[in-house]
Amino acid sequence: MSIRLVTLSGLLILSAALIATLFIRNHPAEYYDRTEFLMGTYLTVVVSSENVSPVKLAAAAFQEIRRVEYKYAKDYGTEVMKLNSAEVGELVPVDDETAHIIETALAVARITDGGFDFTLGRVMDLWGFNKADTEKGVPDDDQLKEALRSTGYEYVRLVDEGGWFVKKLRDLTIDLSAIAKGYAVDSAISVIRALDGDATGYVDAGGDIGIIGPKYGKLPWTIGVRHPRSERADEVFDVVYLYDGAIATSGDYENYFIEDGMHYHHIIDPSTGYPAVSGAISATIVSSSVMLADAFATAAVVLGKSPGITFFPRNGALVMMILEDLSIFKSEGFEVYQTR
Amino acid sequence: MKFFRFSDLFIILLVVLALVLTLPTTRAGGSVVHVIQDGLLVRTLDLWVDARVEIGEIMVIQVEKGAVRALVTDCPDQVCVRMGWISSPGIPIICVPNRIMIVIPREKDSEIDVITG
């Protein structure tokens, strides 16, 4: 065989190989994304499907999120208004969905010994943390103590297998907006899966993320945990890989104000009415649903590295906490999610 | 027999084409930044031209050396200003009260898909 022929064949094989890598590298699935501002945060749906238009899937997801918002929003949620206008001891009928959300909220409150409490609405109002566009400030201590007296998840009960809601404290108000945000994401993912069980992607609600399906159907999603003390929004402290399930992070850096040189953040300790001082500045939870991950993340910042945190894994919530000195505390097994 | 013939040019062209197609042509970090308000793209800025850009009367965005941040905003919570700079694609700065998202669009797969926190 002549040198010429060898050279030419070599070049042909090389080009064929290079072009072949194009097809291997360019995955067939293209991701469609859409962001909207709902439920007091931004929501991004990133989705791909080979069977249904991803535009249609995202639209269905947002429709479901809006439905949940109108039912459980703090100020105008139809279901929340109904529950908060109930008299002490009055049995208020609730549907299965509301019962499920309240049951979950009560369960997390009990597991975390009140670290997560959905009856703090009046306290949050005094701090101004309930809405993004309200002025924030340290409330009067007497007012705070007064508001704190009308809080406590233990004054809320579901009776007759969850069909009825009853409260045992006159001024108690419930705020399901935080837990409903997680629920809305989980529910939107269910809607997408019902339309196409093979759809992949994720839904991100302000950093609380639920996975629809693995990236390109086979790879984990690479999720960066935000550095709690960085001056850059895109600086990542650690990385978590998820094929499915959910992840959420709470931290003292997300929403805060400074008054007289003091830093006041939005994660209120239900036992004191003041911002939590637990030593944890950020808590990331990996769980089966965004609703659970989000509620446990809030509780973890309140509890810090206290013994209570050891109950999280047996309830399906693995935690990674960043402490004040930027050291890390992880539940046993968390590292499973940190290798590809 | 000549070693090089005119028809070989096609093979050489094919090789060049394959190289051009497969060599990475874009930086993972894009070269522009999108300012999206209420789902609408209201500004596209060059990341490599230092500038301060006013969005309505509600926000001033600063671009410097391939990074961008919300410099001033009129809302009380100031979350977007505190978020600081971004230079990685796909990780947005968000102002919830003004419904603004500042993001460097992804041009290809980046190291981090999404951020929690």
Side-chain angles (χ1 to χ4, degrees):
Chain A
M1 215 192 301
S2 70
I3 299 173
R4 194 187 118 78
L5 208 60
V6 173
T7 317
L8 283 184
S9 336
L11 283 175
L12 270 175
I13 292 167
L14 177 73
S15 352
L18 281 173
I19 290 171
T21 62
L22 263 188
F23 290 97
I24 296 166
R25 210 171 58 185
N26 280 359
H27 300 277
E30 284 288 326
Y31 279 93
Y32 167 78
D33 70 277
R34 179 170 146 191
T35 298
E36 288 196 19
F37 289 88
L38 290 166
M39 305 193 89
T41 186
Y42 70 93
L43 272 139
T44 301
V45 175
V46 175
V47 67
S48 175
S49 164
E50 287 177 14
N51 310 313
V52 184
S53 148
V55 179
K56 189 179 161 190
L57 292 177
F62 279 112
Q63 194 183 354
E64 174 63 7
I65 292 163
R66 259 186 231 104
R67 182 191 69 79
V68 176
E69 179 177 25
Y70 291 135
K71 206 166 164 185
Y72 301 107
K74 187 185 172 312
D75 295 328
Y76 55 88
T78 49
E79 200 72 359
V80 171
M81 287 198 299
K82 183 177 89 180
L83 299 177
N84 280 337
S85 58
E87 301 290 333
V88 170
E90 181 188 348
L91 286 165
V92 185
V94 288
D95 62 19
D96 290 348
E97 187 172 47
T98 305
H100 169 61
I101 291 173
I102 295 178
E103 256 164 23
T104 308
L106 279 172
V108 179
R110 283 189 205 111
I111 293 162
T112 61
D113 198 18
F116 170 80
D117 194 326
F118 58 103
T119 65
L120 276 185
R122 289 188 58 203
V123 173
M124 295 296 270
D125 283 342
L126 288 176
W127 285 95
F129 280 129
N130 256 342
K131 278 187 176 169
D133 52 3
T134 48
E135 290 293 336
K136 288 146 188 67
V138 182
D140 174 74
D141 192 57
D142 290 337
Q143 268 185 310
L144 202 57
K145 286 205 172 83
E146 169 69 29
L148 211 53
R149 272 196 285 277
S150 53
T151 67
Y153 69 93
E154 60 274 32
Y155 300 112
V156 171
R157 231 162 56 108
L158 287 175
V159 279
D160 200 14
E161 289 177 354
W164 304 87
F165 164 92
V166 62
K167 68 176 185 184
K168 299 184 273 182
L169 199 62
R170 195 168 64 89
D171 291 329
L172 181 127
T173 59
I174 62 163
D175 178 1
L176 296 175
S177 58
I179 200 151
K181 183 182 71 177
Y183 173 77
V185 174
D186 297 330
S187 195
I189 291 172
S190 301
V191 165
I192 289 175
R193 285 192 186 139
L195 291 169
D196 177 14
D198 296 327
T200 65
Y202 62 85
V203 179
D204 171 12
D208 298 345
I209 299 148
I211 307 294
I212 303 165
K215 191 174 182 177
Y216 308 126
K218 55 179 187 287
L219 297 173
W221 291 98
T222 305
I223 299 158
V225 176
R226 179 166 282 146
H227 193 300
R229 292 291 181 264
S230 175
E231 285 177 2
R232 304 183 51 90
D234 53 10
E235 187 173 345
V236 162
F237 194 88
D238 218 336
V239 172
V240 175
Y241 302 101
L242 285 188
Y243 289 92
D244 54 16
I247 187 166
T249 300
S250 278
D252 69 353
Y253 55 89
E254 294 171 291
N255 191 359
Y256 66 90
F257 64 86
I258 291 169
E259 197 173 296
D260 298 329
M262 291 280 286
H263 173 280
Y264 297 94
H265 65 86
H266 76 299
I267 301 168
I268 301 294
D269 183 341
S271 65
T272 62
Y274 282 87
V277 196
S278 68
I281 58 174
S282 161
T284 298
I285 301 281
V286 172
S287 191
S288 57
S289 73
V290 180
M291 174 158 66
L292 286 173
D294 188 20
F296 275 112
T298 307
V301 174
V302 172
L303 297 177
K305 229 175 100 182
S306 68
I309 209 82
T310 56
F311 291 101
F312 282 34
R314 72 182 74 163
N315 292 287
L318 293 179
V319 62
M320 178 178 84
M321 266 190 306
I322 304 172
L323 307 171
E324 263 164 347
D325 59 359
L326 296 183
S327 63
I328 292 187
F329 167 82
K330 284 179 198 171
S331 305
E332 212 173 300
F334 193 92
E335 63 283 357
V336 169
Y337 296 100
Q338 296 196 286
T339 44
R340 262 176 185 274
Chain B
M1 194 171 79
K2 280 196 294 180
F3 187 77
F4 183 81
R5 284 185 212 155
F6 181 71
S7 57
D8 295 349
L9 209 59
F10 289 105
I11 291 174
I12 292 164
L13 273 177
L14 184 71
V15 175
V16 171
L17 185 75
L19 282 172
V20 167
L21 282 175
T22 49
L23 284 179
T25 47
T26 51
R27 280 171 293 189
S31 52
V32 296
V33 57
H34 285 168
V35 182
I36 297 161
Q37 188 174 22
D38 266 322
L40 296 173
L41 182 64
V42 293
R43 286 278 203 298
T44 303
L45 306 169
D46 191 321
L47 257 183
W48 300 94
V49 175
D50 295 356
R52 287 180 187 201
V53 180
E54 237 178 272
I55 306 296
E57 286 181 353
I58 51 182
M59 190 182 277
V60 179
I61 292 171
Q62 184 183 13
V63 179
E64 204 177 281
K65 297 185 187 76
V68 60
R69 68 168 169 177
L71 183 68
V72 181
T73 171
D74 68 344
C75 68
D77 72 359
Q78 300 288 310
V79 168
C80 62
V81 171
R82 290 204 199 107
M83 285 178 88
W85 296 94
I86 51 165
S87 55
S88 320
I91 298 172
I93 294 174
I94 302 280
C95 174
V96 173
N98 289 320
R99 310 164 81 81
I100 290 178
M101 175 161 94
I102 304 166
V103 66
I104 301 167
R106 272 180 228 276
E107 286 171 8
K108 59 175 191 176
D109 272 357
S110 44
E111 228 172 282
I112 302 284
D113 292 312
V114 57
I115 202 157
T116 177

